[in-house]
């Protein structure tokens, strides 16, 4: 695990970049993980830091989440200028003129079939539940006993195996099923292009965030929140630790802006 002093030096370099993008996963990063997804809320310190960063010159903030965009907006209450990537990259909001996600007939049929499979699994495994998204369904097992959760995931994978064209991904006590083949790495690439960023800060906590860590460039900073194997160069223990890092980055970026515009 890199030392905090190493991260501080990386933040100093990042703060001086001409155009900065701060892109963050939400659950487990901006918000602590909670039992019920609808109860998640951003930590006040993180929310305040993101708002302050977004107000700085040549600085863009974004959230990249596995949540559907509607759910992300509801729990995160993002600032109007914050860009949003939902459903692991399948949904994007880059401004009022952004086109909504639409499925072709084949994708819509495939989504219905996948939902039927997951619904049957949920009915047979207490403590699991289904979340519907515009481009997929999610099997949640956080409230189930460990053995029940494992059986549910195995049953879902077996039932989905016969459906061609699905993207099935494991996460933290979830099984994500999508009819759109997109990931957070592609979402981050889109945000980089739209913002014209010369450097990026990305923070995530789950295996699905590794797609984004994998596309980071040498001048970027990737931060893994919590335990687990990762391609990120830096690691913090909790969302509370990230709040402090965002505050540090704001102070450094503000000072750089002040020195460039006396």
């Amino acid at each position: 695990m890199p030392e905090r002093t190493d991260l501080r030096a990386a933040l100093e370099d990042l703060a001086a970049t001409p155009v900065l993008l701060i892109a963050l996963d939400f659950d487990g990063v901006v918000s602590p993980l909670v039992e019920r997804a609808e109860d998640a809320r951003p930590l006040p310190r993180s929310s305040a830091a993101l708002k302050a960063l977004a107000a700085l010159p040549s600085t863009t903030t974004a959230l990249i989440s596995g949540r559907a965009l509607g759910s992300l907006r509801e729990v995160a209450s993002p600032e109007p200028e914050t860009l949003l990537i939902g459903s692991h990259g399948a949904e994007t909001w880059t401004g009022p003129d952004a086109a909504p996600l639409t499925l072709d007939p084949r994708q819509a049929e495939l989504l219905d079939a996948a939902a039927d499979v997951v619904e049957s699994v949920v009915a047979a495994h207490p403590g699991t539940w289904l979340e519907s998204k515009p481009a997929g369904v999610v099997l949640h097992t956080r409230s189930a006993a460990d053995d029940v959760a494992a059986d549910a995931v195995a049953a879902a994978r077996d039932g989905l195996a016969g459906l061609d064209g699905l993207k099935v991904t494991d996460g933290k006590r979830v099984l994500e099923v999508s009819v759109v083949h997109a990931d957070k790495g592609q979402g981050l690439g889109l945000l980089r292009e739209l913002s014209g960023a010369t450097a990026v800060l990305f923070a995530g906590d789950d295996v699905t965030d590794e797609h984004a860590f994998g596309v980071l460039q040498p001048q970027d900073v990737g931060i893994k929140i919590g335990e687990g194997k990762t391609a990120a160069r830096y690691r913090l223990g909790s969302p509370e630790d990230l709040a402090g890092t965002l505050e540090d980055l704001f102070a450094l970026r503000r000072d750089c802006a002040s020195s460039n515009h006396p």
Side-chain angles (χ1 to χ4, degrees):
M1 182 183 299
E3 297 294 331
R4 174 73 179 184
T5 52
D6 293 339
L7 178 54
R8 174 72 184 193
L11 292 177
E12 291 173 356
D13 291 340
L14 193 69
T17 198
V19 182
L20 176 60
L21 169 65
I22 301 107
L24 308 174
D25 184 20
F26 182 74
D27 294 283
V29 177
V30 178
S31 165
L33 291 175
V34 294
E35 186 74 19
R36 292 164 50 89
E38 61 268 31
D39 294 336
R41 293 294 183 274
L43 290 171
R45 287 174 59 199
S46 292
S47 184
L50 283 173
K51 182 176 182 178
L53 281 161
L56 292 175
S58 302
T59 306
T60 300
T61 58
L63 296 175
I64 305 183
S65 176
R67 288 177 180 264
L69 281 183
S71 172
L72 182 60
R73 285 196 182 95
E74 181 177 349
V75 299
S77 301
E79 294 298 311
E81 63 270 25
T82 296
L83 304 180
L84 304 175
I85 300 287
S87 300
H88 299 286
E91 295 183 274
T92 63
W93 188 86
T94 55
D97 297 327
L101 173 69
T102 57
L103 302 180
D104 62 34
R106 165 60 181 154
Q107 289 173 319
E109 180 182 350
L110 185 60
L111 179 55
D112 287 342
D116 288 343
V117 170
V118 177
E119 283 176 355
S120 67
V121 170
V122 167
H125 295 83
T128 66
W129 58 279
L130 177 149
E131 176 190 0
S132 296
K133 294 183 179 181
V137 291
V138 185
L139 171 64
H140 288 263
T141 64
R142 189 176 299 277
S143 299
D146 290 347
D147 58 339
V148 175
D151 289 346
V153 170
R157 282 193 169 277
D158 285 345
L160 296 167
L163 300 177
D164 186 40
L166 293 175
K167 181 178 181 181
V168 182
T169 308
D170 287 291
K172 288 185 176 179
R173 301 295 292 236
V174 297
L175 188 71
E176 299 267 359
V177 185
S178 179
V179 299
V180 175
H181 289 235
D183 60 47
K184 291 184 180 181
Q186 294 168 321
L188 186 59
L190 173 64
L191 294 175
R192 189 194 296 271
E193 180 180 352
L194 287 171
S195 64
T198 51
V200 174
L201 168 69
F202 176 75
D205 74 311
D206 207 345
V207 292
T208 55
D209 297 309
E210 293 303 315
H211 293 292
F213 288 133
V215 301
L216 293 179
Q217 300 174 8
Q219 73 275 19
D220 300 333
V221 172
I223 303 175
K224 167 79 170 183
I225 308 300
E227 300 300 320
K229 185 178 178 181
T230 184
R233 282 187 291 165
Y234 304 97
R235 189 188 302 269
L236 293 172
S238 68
E240 289 79 8
D241 294 332
L242 180 67
T245 295
L246 294 174
E247 291 168 346
D248 290 345
L249 180 58
F250 166 71
L252 292 165
R253 183 77 170 162
R254 178 195 58 199
D255 291 348
C256 285
S258 298
S259 62
N260 290 333
H261 299 86

